Amino acid sequence: MASSYRPISASLDHYYLRRPRLAFVVILIGYVAVATLFAVTTPDWQNPDEPAHYNNIAYIATGHGLPVLREGDYNQEYLAALVSGGFPPHLSVGPLRYEAYQPPLYYVAAAPAFLLGSGELRLLRLFNVLLGAISLLLLYACMETVFPTKPLLTIGATAFAAFLPMHVAMSASVNNDGLAELLILAIMLLLLRWMKRRFYPAQASSDAPTRNPTERNTLLVLGVLVGLGMATKIYAYAVLPLVAGSVFLTIWLAPMAQLEYRLVRPLGRAFVRGLGAALWVVAPALLVVIPLWVRNVQLYGSWDFLGLQMHDRLVAGQPTTAAWIAREGVVNYIERAMDFTFRSFWGVFGWMGVFMEPRVYMLLLVFTGALLLGLLWALVRFICGRPEADMDRYQFWVLGLFGVMMLAVLASFIWYNLKFVQHQGRYFFWGLLPISTFAALAWRELMQPLQGKLTGLLALVLAASLAVADMRTDIMDRWIIVSIGLFGLLLMLQPLLLSGSVDAIVIGAPQQLQHFLGKRRLQPLLRMARVLVWAAPFLALFLLSLLIPFRYILPQLGG
């Protein structure tokens, strides 16, 4: 009987999800539900910088043209009075115009929604919910392009992005991040599909990219999308070198990664072709934003083509990194940066003042640690190569691209914090595609029987150690200790759910138990249990997102 089992390495995903597109529809519906809940229950203006973004839309919609940042558009004392007072009706949000330097595309796109709803804030929030739903569709398409036979990755990444509480909150508020993320995901989808054609020679033309009309048009559209992203949010400027560099390296170095296909070209010719293809991306992107640069230079002075110098001059009173370190010290700054960034990545609401209970953050920290361990297991398998690493060359290249994108996101976060104290995890969300991918990859790795059991054992050891320490010092919430122990037990026992599907030696459980669980009538129940175990963290994030408006936001901010 055991000889009829399929090895776990054949397709781990097959044992968990068989209808991924149905799962995606369920996730999309769940996202729309929780995001709409955030949009309609969060009190007016109780999202970071929401009034300033709203005022940009209102300025355009009422026929005043594009916003211009001027002296007096930022008043720290007035802003503090609004936030601390819960935005009382007698204090207008009209003077908050400090986002007027931002690229204008989002505000232009949102102007019809403003006019349709006569300036109703919640309708504009729902406009951003719609942008978030489209972004999820693009993210899923990206994942399905790269990992068509790995639904645990495609659905896992989509679910993580859909139900990450802080991301849900930001996607249900008025800001330009929603359109920027949508455009970045559209850029990545087009880039990934172009790369896929280059990596699979049967689908790729042997002509140079600049001589192949179809491929040239793809690169032109890619460049226009990058330019539109740059016309929406400043961090999208980091996407231009990322995309141009990916195009160049794919054409120059990819032939060396395709040795099994015997498609090696002279590296000198490939180098020149790569540069030419990259220019087909860079040129249209720059043509889109150069008019904005000219306008900004005329408004704000020489070389201030992004308006950042004007912005930095105006935001006097905002905490600067240098002043903070001089007052509190480097060690305290680093501790604060790590703690607040972690918490605000998962969820700190309002104007970064509405926190969840400490136990929630502690459990999220444990889950993050488990994901990091899962990534380590995946890295070990990748280093071992095939057949242990169930990825082809194209997928490895994409994971490398995602790693570089993560470094770009981290660099942009550090760069911004060199000037101002902005330890807000939401600034990582323009890299949600690679973040979600690595989270899904790590959790998928923990579904492997051996990796899951080892990680579960470590979690049980941690829970036992904390329990012993708690008996002597009472330093930790016992509910957290119990939760860590249950999490470890879940990972330890989840291989049993594969009984009857994979080789018994892989599961490593007593033969009698596996024989009982391997009975045919139990297989539908085990399949359902496997899906529930894998989906547990995403369901938990969904339920947490449903709970947040009623348990944290409304009680702390009022309705």
Short mmCIF file of all heavy atoms in Angstrom, two decimals, residues 243-303:
data_model
loop_
_atom_site.label_atom_id
_atom_site.label_comp_id
_atom_site.label_asym_id
_atom_site.label_seq_id
_atom_site.Cartn_x
_atom_site.Cartn_y
_atom_site.Cartn_z
N VAL A 243 13.50 48.00 -12.48
CA VAL A 243 12.95 47.41 -13.70
C VAL A 243 13.96 47.46 -14.84
O VAL A 243 14.17 46.46 -15.54
CB VAL A 243 11.65 48.15 -14.09
CG1 VAL A 243 11.16 47.69 -15.46
CG2 VAL A 243 10.57 47.91 -13.04
N ALA A 244 14.59 48.63 -15.02
CA ALA A 244 15.58 48.74 -16.10
C ALA A 244 16.73 47.76 -15.89
O ALA A 244 17.20 47.12 -16.84
CB ALA A 244 16.10 50.18 -16.18
N GLY A 245 17.17 47.64 -14.64
CA GLY A 245 18.25 46.70 -14.34
C GLY A 245 17.82 45.26 -14.58
O GLY A 245 18.62 44.44 -15.08
N SER A 246 16.57 44.92 -14.27
CA SER A 246 16.08 43.56 -14.50
C SER A 246 16.02 43.25 -15.99
O SER A 246 16.39 42.14 -16.41
CB SER A 246 14.69 43.40 -13.88
OG SER A 246 14.72 43.60 -12.49
N VAL A 247 15.57 44.21 -16.78
CA VAL A 247 15.52 44.01 -18.23
C VAL A 247 16.93 43.79 -18.78
O VAL A 247 17.19 42.87 -19.57
CB VAL A 247 14.83 45.20 -18.91
CG1 VAL A 247 15.02 45.15 -20.42
CG2 VAL A 247 13.35 45.24 -18.55
N PHE A 248 17.85 44.66 -18.36
CA PHE A 248 19.22 44.55 -18.83
C PHE A 248 19.85 43.21 -18.45
O PHE A 248 20.43 42.50 -19.30
CB PHE A 248 20.04 45.70 -18.25
CG PHE A 248 21.53 45.54 -18.40
CD1 PHE A 248 22.13 45.62 -19.64
CD2 PHE A 248 22.33 45.28 -17.30
CE1 PHE A 248 23.50 45.46 -19.80
CE2 PHE A 248 23.69 45.11 -17.43
CZ PHE A 248 24.28 45.20 -18.69
N LEU A 249 19.73 42.81 -17.18
CA LEU A 249 20.36 41.58 -16.72
C LEU A 249 19.71 40.34 -17.33
O LEU A 249 20.40 39.35 -17.60
CB LEU A 249 20.31 41.50 -15.19
CG LEU A 249 21.19 42.50 -14.44
CD1 LEU A 249 20.94 42.40 -12.95
CD2 LEU A 249 22.66 42.28 -14.76
N THR A 250 18.41 40.41 -17.54
CA THR A 250 17.73 39.25 -18.14
C THR A 250 18.25 38.97 -19.54
O THR A 250 18.48 37.82 -19.92
CB THR A 250 16.21 39.49 -18.18
OG1 THR A 250 15.72 39.65 -16.84
CG2 THR A 250 15.49 38.33 -18.84
N ILE A 251 18.47 40.03 -20.31
CA ILE A 251 18.96 39.85 -21.68
C ILE A 251 20.45 39.53 -21.69
O ILE A 251 20.93 38.70 -22.47
CB ILE A 251 18.67 41.11 -22.52
CG1 ILE A 251 17.16 41.25 -22.70
CG2 ILE A 251 19.37 41.06 -23.87
CD1 ILE A 251 16.74 42.51 -23.39
N TRP A 252 21.20 40.15 -20.78
CA TRP A 252 22.65 39.95 -20.79
C TRP A 252 23.06 38.62 -20.17
O TRP A 252 23.87 37.89 -20.74
CB TRP A 252 23.31 41.11 -20.05
CG TRP A 252 24.83 41.01 -20.00
CD1 TRP A 252 25.65 40.54 -20.98
CD2 TRP A 252 25.68 41.36 -18.91
NE1 TRP A 252 26.98 40.60 -20.58
CE2 TRP A 252 27.02 41.11 -19.31
CE3 TRP A 252 25.44 41.90 -17.65
CZ2 TRP A 252 28.10 41.35 -18.47
CZ3 TRP A 252 26.52 42.15 -16.82
CH2 TRP A 252 27.84 41.87 -17.23
N LEU A 253 22.49 38.30 -19.01
CA LEU A 253 22.96 37.14 -18.25
C LEU A 253 22.07 35.92 -18.37
O LEU A 253 22.53 34.81 -18.10
CB LEU A 253 23.11 37.50 -16.76
CG LEU A 253 24.13 38.59 -16.43
CD1 LEU A 253 24.15 38.83 -14.94
CD2 LEU A 253 25.52 38.22 -16.94
N ALA A 254 20.81 36.11 -18.72
CA ALA A 254 19.90 34.97 -18.77
C ALA A 254 20.40 33.84 -19.67
O ALA A 254 20.19 32.68 -19.35
CB ALA A 254 18.51 35.41 -19.19
N PRO A 255 21.03 34.11 -20.82
CA PRO A 255 21.51 32.99 -21.64
C PRO A 255 22.43 32.05 -20.87
O PRO A 255 22.42 30.85 -21.11
CB PRO A 255 22.27 33.70 -22.78
CG PRO A 255 21.58 35.02 -22.90
CD PRO A 255 21.23 35.40 -21.49
N MET A 256 23.21 32.58 -19.93
CA MET A 256 24.09 31.72 -19.13
C MET A 256 23.28 30.86 -18.15
O MET A 256 23.76 29.83 -17.70
CB MET A 256 25.10 32.56 -18.36
CG MET A 256 26.07 33.31 -19.26
SD MET A 256 27.43 34.06 -18.34
CE MET A 256 26.54 35.20 -17.28
N ALA A 257 22.07 31.32 -17.83
CA ALA A 257 21.22 30.54 -16.94
C ALA A 257 20.36 29.55 -17.71
O ALA A 257 19.56 28.84 -17.13
CB ALA A 257 20.31 31.48 -16.14
N GLN A 258 20.53 29.49 -19.02
CA GLN A 258 19.71 28.62 -19.85
C GLN A 258 20.58 27.59 -20.58
O GLN A 258 20.29 27.21 -21.70
CB GLN A 258 18.93 29.46 -20.87
CG GLN A 258 17.96 30.44 -20.23
CD GLN A 258 17.36 31.40 -21.24
OE1 GLN A 258 17.85 31.53 -22.35
NE2 GLN A 258 16.30 32.09 -20.84
N LEU A 259 21.63 27.14 -19.91
CA LEU A 259 22.56 26.25 -20.58
C LEU A 259 21.89 24.95 -21.00
O LEU A 259 22.26 24.35 -22.01
CB LEU A 259 23.75 25.94 -19.64
CG LEU A 259 24.68 27.12 -19.36
CD1 LEU A 259 25.76 26.70 -18.37
CD2 LEU A 259 25.32 27.61 -20.65
N GLU A 260 20.88 24.52 -20.20
CA GLU A 260 20.24 23.27 -20.58
C GLU A 260 19.44 23.42 -21.88
O GLU A 260 19.05 22.45 -22.49
CB GLU A 260 19.33 22.75 -19.46
CG GLU A 260 18.10 23.61 -19.19
CD GLU A 260 18.27 24.47 -17.96
OE1 GLU A 260 19.32 25.13 -17.87
OE2 GLU A 260 17.36 24.48 -17.11
N TYR A 261 19.16 24.68 -22.28
CA TYR A 261 18.43 24.91 -23.51
C TYR A 261 19.36 25.20 -24.69
O TYR A 261 18.90 25.45 -25.80
CB TYR A 261 17.47 26.10 -23.34
CG TYR A 261 16.48 25.90 -22.23
CD1 TYR A 261 16.44 26.78 -21.15
CD2 TYR A 261 15.58 24.85 -22.25
CE1 TYR A 261 15.51 26.60 -20.12
CE2 TYR A 261 14.66 24.66 -21.23
CZ TYR A 261 14.63 25.54 -20.17
OH TYR A 261 13.73 25.37 -19.16
N ARG A 262 20.65 25.26 -24.43
CA ARG A 262 21.65 25.51 -25.48
C ARG A 262 21.36 26.83 -26.21
O ARG A 262 21.34 26.90 -27.42
CB ARG A 262 21.69 24.36 -26.48
CG ARG A 262 22.02 23.02 -25.83
CD ARG A 262 22.03 21.91 -26.86
NE ARG A 262 22.28 20.63 -26.25
CZ ARG A 262 23.49 20.15 -25.97
NH1 ARG A 262 24.55 20.88 -26.26
NH2 ARG A 262 23.64 18.98 -25.39
N LEU A 263 21.12 27.87 -25.43
CA LEU A 263 20.81 29.17 -26.04
C LEU A 263 21.85 30.24 -25.67
O LEU A 263 21.52 31.40 -25.59
CB LEU A 263 19.43 29.65 -25.58
CG LEU A 263 18.25 29.30 -26.48
CD1 LEU A 263 16.98 29.91 -25.91
CD2 LEU A 263 18.46 29.80 -27.89
N VAL A 264 23.07 29.84 -25.43
CA VAL A 264 24.09 30.81 -25.03
C VAL A 264 24.45 31.69 -26.21
O VAL A 264 24.74 31.21 -27.31
CB VAL A 264 25.34 30.08 -24.52
CG1 VAL A 264 26.40 31.10 -24.12
CG2 VAL A 264 25.00 29.19 -23.34
N ARG A 265 24.40 33.01 -25.99
CA ARG A 265 24.78 33.97 -27.02
C ARG A 265 26.09 34.64 -26.62
O ARG A 265 26.45 34.63 -25.44
CB ARG A 265 23.69 35.05 -27.15
CG ARG A 265 22.32 34.52 -27.54
CD ARG A 265 21.31 35.64 -27.47
NE ARG A 265 19.97 35.20 -27.80
CZ ARG A 265 18.89 35.96 -27.68
NH1 ARG A 265 19.01 37.19 -27.22
NH2 ARG A 265 17.71 35.49 -28.00
N PRO A 266 26.76 35.26 -27.55
CA PRO A 266 27.97 36.01 -27.18
C PRO A 266 27.62 37.10 -26.18
O PRO A 266 26.70 37.90 -26.40
CB PRO A 266 28.43 36.61 -28.52
CG PRO A 266 27.82 35.73 -29.56
CD PRO A 266 26.53 35.24 -29.01
N LEU A 267 28.33 37.13 -25.06
CA LEU A 267 28.00 38.06 -23.99
C LEU A 267 28.15 39.51 -24.44
O LEU A 267 27.45 40.38 -23.95
CB LEU A 267 28.89 37.79 -22.77
CG LEU A 267 28.57 36.50 -22.01
CD1 LEU A 267 29.47 36.35 -20.81
CD2 LEU A 267 27.11 36.46 -21.57
N GLY A 268 29.08 39.79 -25.37
CA GLY A 268 29.24 41.16 -25.84
C GLY A 268 28.00 41.67 -26.54
O GLY A 268 27.50 42.76 -26.26
N ARG A 269 27.44 40.86 -27.44
CA ARG A 269 26.21 41.25 -28.12
C ARG A 269 25.05 41.34 -27.15
O ARG A 269 24.22 42.24 -27.23
CB ARG A 269 25.89 40.24 -29.22
CG ARG A 269 26.86 40.25 -30.40
CD ARG A 269 26.49 39.17 -31.40
NE ARG A 269 25.11 39.35 -31.88
CZ ARG A 269 24.43 38.42 -32.52
NH1 ARG A 269 25.00 37.24 -32.77
NH2 ARG A 269 23.20 38.65 -32.93
N ALA A 270 24.97 40.39 -26.22
CA ALA A 270 23.88 40.41 -25.24
C ALA A 270 23.96 41.64 -24.36
O ALA A 270 22.92 42.20 -23.97
CB ALA A 270 23.93 39.14 -24.39
N PHE A 271 25.18 42.08 -24.03
CA PHE A 271 25.36 43.28 -23.20
C PHE A 271 24.77 44.51 -23.90
O PHE A 271 24.03 45.29 -23.30
CB PHE A 271 26.85 43.48 -22.93
CG PHE A 271 27.15 44.64 -22.03
CD1 PHE A 271 27.19 44.47 -20.65
CD2 PHE A 271 27.41 45.90 -22.56
CE1 PHE A 271 27.47 45.55 -19.82
CE2 PHE A 271 27.69 46.98 -21.73
CZ PHE A 271 27.72 46.80 -20.36
N VAL A 272 25.09 44.66 -25.17
CA VAL A 272 24.60 45.81 -25.94
C VAL A 272 23.08 45.73 -26.08
O VAL A 272 22.37 46.74 -25.94
CB VAL A 272 25.28 45.87 -27.31
CG1 VAL A 272 24.67 46.97 -28.16
CG2 VAL A 272 26.78 46.09 -27.14
N ARG A 273 22.57 44.54 -26.36
CA ARG A 273 21.13 44.38 -26.49
C ARG A 273 20.42 44.69 -25.17
O ARG A 273 19.34 45.28 -25.16
CB ARG A 273 20.80 42.96 -26.93
CG ARG A 273 21.17 42.66 -28.38
CD ARG A 273 20.89 41.21 -28.72
NE ARG A 273 21.17 40.92 -30.11
CZ ARG A 273 21.06 39.72 -30.66
NH1 ARG A 273 20.69 38.70 -29.91
NH2 ARG A 273 21.32 39.53 -31.94
N GLY A 274 21.04 44.29 -24.08
CA GLY A 274 20.46 44.57 -22.77
C GLY A 274 20.36 46.06 -22.49
O GLY A 274 19.34 46.55 -21.99
N LEU A 275 21.42 46.79 -22.84
CA LEU A 275 21.39 48.24 -22.66
C LEU A 275 20.31 48.88 -23.53
O LEU A 275 19.58 49.78 -23.09
CB LEU A 275 22.76 48.83 -23.00
CG LEU A 275 23.89 48.62 -22.00
CD1 LEU A 275 25.18 49.24 -22.53
CD2 LEU A 275 23.53 49.22 -20.65
N GLY A 276 20.22 48.42 -24.77
CA GLY A 276 19.19 48.97 -25.66
C GLY A 276 17.79 48.72 -25.14
O GLY A 276 16.93 49.60 -25.18
N ALA A 277 17.55 47.51 -24.65
CA ALA A 277 16.23 47.20 -24.11
C ALA A 277 15.91 48.04 -22.87
O ALA A 277 14.78 48.51 -22.70
CB ALA A 277 16.15 45.71 -23.77
N ALA A 278 16.91 48.24 -22.01
CA ALA A 278 16.70 49.05 -20.80
C ALA A 278 16.34 50.49 -21.18
O ALA A 278 15.51 51.12 -20.51
CB ALA A 278 17.95 49.03 -19.92
N LEU A 279 16.94 50.99 -22.25
CA LEU A 279 16.63 52.36 -22.68
C LEU A 279 15.18 52.48 -23.15
O LEU A 279 14.57 53.54 -23.01
CB LEU A 279 17.58 52.79 -23.79
CG LEU A 279 19.02 53.09 -23.35
CD1 LEU A 279 19.89 53.40 -24.56
CD2 LEU A 279 19.03 54.27 -22.37
N TRP A 280 14.62 51.41 -23.72
CA TRP A 280 13.22 51.44 -24.14
C TRP A 280 12.28 51.52 -22.94
O TRP A 280 11.11 51.87 -23.10
CB TRP A 280 12.90 50.20 -24.98
CG TRP A 280 13.37 50.32 -26.40
CD1 TRP A 280 14.53 49.82 -26.92
CD2 TRP A 280 12.70 50.99 -27.46
NE1 TRP A 280 14.63 50.14 -28.24
CE2 TRP A 280 13.52 50.86 -28.61
CE3 TRP A 280 11.50 51.68 -27.58
CZ2 TRP A 280 13.16 51.40 -29.84
CZ3 TRP A 280 11.14 52.22 -28.81
CH2 TRP A 280 11.97 52.08 -29.93
N VAL A 281 12.78 51.20 -21.77
CA VAL A 281 12.00 51.37 -20.54
C VAL A 281 12.22 52.76 -19.93
O VAL A 281 11.28 53.46 -19.54
CB VAL A 281 12.36 50.28 -19.51
CG1 VAL A 281 11.63 50.53 -18.19
CG2 VAL A 281 12.02 48.90 -20.05
N VAL A 282 13.48 53.16 -19.88
CA VAL A 282 13.83 54.41 -19.19
C VAL A 282 13.28 55.63 -19.93
O VAL A 282 12.74 56.56 -19.31
CB VAL A 282 15.37 54.52 -19.05
CG1 VAL A 282 15.76 55.89 -18.50
CG2 VAL A 282 15.90 53.41 -18.14
N ALA A 283 13.40 55.63 -21.27
CA ALA A 283 13.02 56.83 -22.04
C ALA A 283 11.55 57.21 -21.85
O ALA A 283 11.25 58.36 -21.50
CB ALA A 283 13.35 56.61 -23.51
N PRO A 284 10.59 56.30 -22.05
CA PRO A 284 9.19 56.72 -21.85
C PRO A 284 8.86 57.07 -20.41
O PRO A 284 8.02 57.95 -20.16
CB PRO A 284 8.38 55.50 -22.32
CG PRO A 284 9.33 54.36 -22.29
CD PRO A 284 10.68 54.92 -22.56
N ALA A 285 9.52 56.41 -19.46
CA ALA A 285 9.28 56.75 -18.05
C ALA A 285 9.68 58.19 -17.77
O ALA A 285 8.95 58.94 -17.11
CB ALA A 285 10.06 55.79 -17.15
N LEU A 286 10.84 58.60 -18.28
CA LEU A 286 11.29 59.97 -18.06
C LEU A 286 10.42 60.97 -18.81
O LEU A 286 10.15 62.08 -18.30
CB LEU A 286 12.75 60.11 -18.50
CG LEU A 286 13.77 59.32 -17.68
CD1 LEU A 286 15.18 59.56 -18.20
CD2 LEU A 286 13.69 59.68 -16.20
N LEU A 287 9.96 60.60 -20.00
CA LEU A 287 9.10 61.52 -20.75
C LEU A 287 7.80 61.81 -20.02
O LEU A 287 7.24 62.91 -20.14
CB LEU A 287 8.81 60.94 -22.14
CG LEU A 287 9.97 60.95 -23.13
CD1 LEU A 287 9.58 60.24 -24.42
CD2 LEU A 287 10.42 62.38 -23.43
N VAL A 288 7.31 60.84 -19.25
CA VAL A 288 6.07 61.05 -18.50
C VAL A 288 6.27 62.07 -17.39
O VAL A 288 5.40 62.92 -17.14
CB VAL A 288 5.56 59.72 -17.92
CG1 VAL A 288 4.40 59.96 -16.94
CG2 VAL A 288 5.10 58.79 -19.04
N VAL A 289 7.43 62.02 -16.70
CA VAL A 289 7.59 62.84 -15.49
C VAL A 289 8.38 64.13 -15.72
O VAL A 289 8.36 65.01 -14.85
CB VAL A 289 8.26 62.03 -14.36
CG1 VAL A 289 7.36 60.91 -13.90
CG2 VAL A 289 9.63 61.50 -14.79
N ILE A 290 9.05 64.27 -16.85
CA ILE A 290 9.83 65.50 -17.07
C ILE A 290 8.96 66.76 -16.99
O ILE A 290 9.40 67.76 -16.39
CB ILE A 290 10.59 65.41 -18.41
CG1 ILE A 290 11.83 64.53 -18.25
CG2 ILE A 290 10.99 66.79 -18.91
CD1 ILE A 290 12.63 64.30 -19.52
N PRO A 291 7.73 66.77 -17.53
CA PRO A 291 6.91 67.97 -17.34
C PRO A 291 6.67 68.32 -15.87
O PRO A 291 6.64 69.51 -15.51
CB PRO A 291 5.60 67.61 -18.05
CG PRO A 291 5.99 66.59 -19.07
CD PRO A 291 7.08 65.81 -18.44
N LEU A 292 6.53 67.31 -15.03
CA LEU A 292 6.37 67.57 -13.59
C LEU A 292 7.65 68.15 -13.01
O LEU A 292 7.60 69.04 -12.14
CB LEU A 292 5.99 66.29 -12.86
CG LEU A 292 4.59 65.73 -13.13
CD1 LEU A 292 4.41 64.40 -12.41
CD2 LEU A 292 3.53 66.73 -12.71
N TRP A 293 8.79 67.66 -13.45
CA TRP A 293 10.07 68.20 -12.97
C TRP A 293 10.20 69.68 -13.33
O TRP A 293 10.60 70.49 -12.49
CB TRP A 293 11.23 67.43 -13.58
CG TRP A 293 11.34 66.00 -13.13
CD1 TRP A 293 10.56 65.37 -12.19
CD2 TRP A 293 12.27 65.04 -13.60
NE1 TRP A 293 10.96 64.07 -12.06
CE2 TRP A 293 12.01 63.83 -12.91
CE3 TRP A 293 13.29 65.05 -14.55
CZ2 TRP A 293 12.75 62.67 -13.13
CZ3 TRP A 293 14.03 63.90 -14.76
CH2 TRP A 293 13.77 62.73 -14.06
N VAL A 294 9.86 70.00 -14.57
CA VAL A 294 9.97 71.39 -15.01
C VAL A 294 9.05 72.28 -14.17
O VAL A 294 9.44 73.37 -13.72
CB VAL A 294 9.62 71.51 -16.51
CG1 VAL A 294 9.56 72.97 -16.94
CG2 VAL A 294 10.64 70.74 -17.36
N ARG A 295 7.83 71.81 -13.94
CA ARG A 295 6.89 72.58 -13.12
C ARG A 295 7.43 72.79 -11.71
O ARG A 295 7.38 73.90 -11.15
CB ARG A 295 5.55 71.85 -13.07
CG ARG A 295 4.53 72.47 -12.10
CD ARG A 295 3.24 71.66 -12.09
NE ARG A 295 2.28 72.22 -11.15
CZ ARG A 295 2.19 71.87 -9.88
NH1 ARG A 295 3.01 70.95 -9.38
NH2 ARG A 295 1.27 72.44 -9.10
N ASN A 296 7.96 71.73 -11.10
CA ASN A 296 8.46 71.84 -9.73
C ASN A 296 9.66 72.77 -9.62
O ASN A 296 9.79 73.53 -8.66
CB ASN A 296 8.82 70.45 -9.19
CG ASN A 296 7.61 69.61 -8.88
OD1 ASN A 296 6.51 70.14 -8.68
ND2 ASN A 296 7.79 68.30 -8.84
N VAL A 297 10.54 72.71 -10.60
CA VAL A 297 11.69 73.61 -10.60
C VAL A 297 11.24 75.07 -10.70
O VAL A 297 11.78 75.96 -10.04
CB VAL A 297 12.67 73.24 -11.74
CG1 VAL A 297 13.71 74.34 -11.94
CG2 VAL A 297 13.35 71.91 -11.44
N GLN A 298 10.24 75.31 -11.53
CA GLN A 298 9.72 76.67 -11.66
C GLN A 298 9.06 77.15 -10.36
O GLN A 298 9.15 78.32 -10.00
CB GLN A 298 8.71 76.73 -12.80
CG GLN A 298 9.33 76.55 -14.18
CD GLN A 298 8.29 76.50 -15.28
OE1 GLN A 298 7.10 76.26 -15.02
NE2 GLN A 298 8.72 76.72 -16.52
N LEU A 299 8.41 76.21 -9.63
CA LEU A 299 7.69 76.58 -8.41
C LEU A 299 8.61 76.67 -7.19
O LEU A 299 8.47 77.58 -6.37
CB LEU A 299 6.58 75.57 -8.13
CG LEU A 299 5.38 75.57 -9.07
CD1 LEU A 299 4.47 74.39 -8.77
CD2 LEU A 299 4.60 76.88 -8.92
N TYR A 300 9.51 75.71 -7.07
CA TYR A 300 10.25 75.55 -5.81
C TYR A 300 11.73 75.91 -5.90
O TYR A 300 12.41 75.93 -4.88
CB TYR A 300 10.10 74.11 -5.30
CG TYR A 300 8.66 73.67 -5.19
CD1 TYR A 300 8.22 72.48 -5.78
CD2 TYR A 300 7.72 74.45 -4.51
CE1 TYR A 300 6.90 72.07 -5.68
CE2 TYR A 300 6.39 74.04 -4.41
CZ TYR A 300 5.99 72.85 -4.99
OH TYR A 300 4.68 72.46 -4.90
N GLY A 301 12.22 76.16 -7.09
CA GLY A 301 13.62 76.56 -7.21
C GLY A 301 14.48 75.53 -7.90
O GLY A 301 14.06 74.40 -8.17
N SER A 302 15.69 75.93 -8.20
CA SER A 302 16.62 75.09 -8.96
C SER A 302 16.86 73.75 -8.27
O SER A 302 17.06 73.68 -7.06
CB SER A 302 17.94 75.82 -9.15
OG SER A 302 17.74 77.04 -9.85
N TRP A 303 16.84 72.69 -9.07
CA TRP A 303 17.15 71.33 -8.68
C TRP A 303 16.12 70.69 -7.74
O TRP A 303 16.26 69.53 -7.39
CB TRP A 303 18.54 71.23 -8.05
CG TRP A 303 19.63 71.66 -8.96
CD1 TRP A 303 20.35 72.81 -8.89
CD2 TRP A 303 20.10 70.96 -10.12
NE1 TRP A 303 21.25 72.90 -9.94
CE2 TRP A 303 21.12 71.76 -10.71
CE3 TRP A 303 19.77 69.76 -10.74
CZ2 TRP A 303 21.79 71.37 -11.86
CZ3 TRP A 303 20.44 69.38 -11.88
CH2 TRP A 303 21.44 70.18 -12.43
#
